[in-house]
Amino acid sequence: MNFLSTYTEGARRMWMDYEGYGMGWHWLGWLGMAFFWLVLVLLVLAAVKYLMGNRRSNAPDGERKPDALAILEERYARGEIDREEFLKKRDDLNRG
């Protein structure tokens, strides 16, 4: 038996049967794996939510942002802009 085979046999035994130490800690392996998958799933869900942005159509009226045409109509109704400016800006919005 040469040195290399003795060394590899010793290394194999050390990692395969833990040299008799630490055998009570093997249950942490599945706990670590469960934690890994939990973090991975949460990261995927966070990425999907980030990429979807504010695209939800069922948001309550208080959370929904008004569009440009609605703001323009409100400004016209309050008298902040005259009819000519309203029609010009409305046409610009409809073209764009």
Side-chain angles (χ1 to χ4, degrees), residues 33-52:
M33 184 58 76
F35 181 72
F36 168 78
W37 284 108
L38 177 69
V39 169
L40 188 65
V41 167
L42 290 176
L43 284 174
V44 167
L45 290 175
V48 167
K49 182 175 173 130
Y50 174 76
L51 292 174
M52 293 302 287

Side-chain angles (χ1 to χ4, degrees), residues 61-72:
D61 289 335
E63 293 180 19
R64 211 176 285 151
K65 293 184 178 179
D67 61 342
L69 188 58
I71 293 172
L72 184 64

Side-chain angles (χ1 to χ4, degrees), residues 41-93:
V41 167
L42 290 176
L43 284 174
V44 167
L45 290 175
V48 167
K49 182 175 173 130
Y50 174 76
L51 292 174
M52 293 302 287
N54 290 332
R55 295 182 189 173
R56 6 181 251 187
S57 61
N58 58 352
D61 289 335
E63 293 180 19
R64 211 176 285 151
K65 293 184 178 179
D67 61 342
L69 188 58
I71 293 172
L72 184 64
E73 290 171 349
E74 288 176 13
R75 289 185 63 201
Y76 180 62
R78 286 193 299 251
E80 295 177 10
I81 57 176
D82 61 356
R83 180 172 171 77
E84 289 178 32
E85 187 176 357
F86 170 75
L87 293 175
K88 180 180 177 278
K89 290 184 179 191
R90 185 190 65 184
D91 292 341
D92 288 344
L93 287 173

Side-chain angles (χ1 to χ4, degrees), residues 20-28:
Y21 298 104
M23 291 302 287
W25 293 95
H26 67 279
W27 62 273
L28 285 177

